[in-house]
Amino acid sequence: MELSVNVDHIATLREARKEEFPDPLYAAVEAELGGADGITVHLRGDRRHIKERDLKLLRGVVKTVLNLEMASTHEMAEIAVDVKPDRITLVPESPGEVTTQGGLNLLNLKEDLKVFISNLKEKGMKVGIFLDPDIEQIKEAARIGAQYIEINTNEYSRLKVYKDELIRIARVAKAARREGLVVHAGHGINYRNAIPLLTVTEITSYSIGFAIIARAVFVGLRQATQEMVAIIRGRR
Ligand code: PXP
């Protein structure tokens, strides 16, 4: 199991005071020193936290795998082609949302994502899609050429009794593997709920932001990352 640490919230803190610090670049280095297998940032249309400057400098600094979450807009495609992160995770974006609300609904899309995805792949980036755990969405993701999916674990992370949702995730993860997709998971994963999710062995990577950054306030980001790495590698 791999871990990609989302450092958006470091930029959120910086933007709260319109300061030059804390810098998501330093955060990326600390997370990597703590054992992260990748760094994730979400460049939003409104640039509320991560800026293009961050993304460009991260491209030079990140030694592991740089994953860019973005909406499937023309503007973002141009930036991606220019910066060339290792991975692109397509996410839905609506103005004013506090965080990403649900997976991308591929069954209800106006634009043709197949061409969009193939253009990015041609430039050497791996392309995945953030999806709710729904078999029809998975099949569509495979059809339009996605290489991986990130299963939205938001619902799972909110439920006190999560067993049924875990079963749903496991079923979808298996279906995704049958479609030839690599399976990741993310949203709302924390130090506790990360553990039962490990039983879904098809999932090979977690994308985690808030829980790790929140823990880092008390123990530092390197240690917060180390603690999560220990959990997901089963050393705790
Ligand atoms: N994956 C996606 C697609 C997201 O939009 C987010 C939130 O930025 C995450 C993972 C990380 O979620 P969290 O901050 O709750 O760990």
Side-chain angles (χ1 to χ4, degrees), residues 6 8-9 69 91 99-100 130 150 186-189 207-210:
N6 181 318
D8 291 353
H9 290 296
E69 289 176 5
V91 297
T99 181
T100 313
F130 181 58
E150 181 182 324
H187 217 297
I189 300 178
S207 173
I208 307 180
F210 191 76

Side-chain angles (χ1 to χ4, degrees), residues 42 44 67-70 87-93 97 99-106 113 117 127-134 137-138 141 146 148-155 184-189 207:
H42 183 173
R44 285 182 167 269
N67 172 36
L68 171 63
E69 289 176 5
M70 62 175 222
R87 295 206 268 115
I88 302 282
T89 307
L90 298 175
V91 297
E93 227 175 77
E97 65 187 358
T99 181
T100 313
Q101 300 296 309
L104 198 58
N105 185 356
L106 298 178
L113 265 194
I117 290 173
V127 184
I129 310 179
F130 181 58
L131 294 173
D132 291 337
D134 176 320
Q137 300 285 349
I138 301 308
Y148 66 93
I149 55 156
E150 181 182 324
I151 298 178
N152 179 10
T153 48
N154 186 40
E155 180 69 14
H184 299 172
H187 217 297
I189 300 178
S207 173

Side-chain angles (χ1 to χ4, degrees), residues 41-58:
V41 288
H42 183 173
L43 185 67
R44 285 182 167 269
D46 63 10
R47 308 293 194 274
R48 71 167 77 148
H49 39 52
I50 294 294
K51 316 281 182 202
E52 270 140 289
R53 168 264 181 207
D54 302 324
L55 180 65
K56 284 183 179 153
L57 293 177
L58 280 167

Side-chain angles (χ1 to χ4, degrees), residues 66-84:
L66 180 60
N67 172 36
L68 171 63
E69 289 176 5
M70 62 175 222
S72 55
T73 61
H74 181 66
E75 180 201 19
M76 286 301 153
E78 278 192 348
I79 293 170
V81 167
D82 178 35
V83 177
K84 289 207 184 61

Side-chain angles (χ1 to χ4, degrees), residues 38 57 68 128 131 159-160 163 178 181 191 206 212 220 227:
L57 293 177
L68 171 63
L131 294 173
L159 291 168
K160 282 212 167 62
K163 203 169 157 222
R178 279 197 298 273
L181 294 159
Y191 292 86
Y206 286 166
I212 292 177
E227 290 176 8

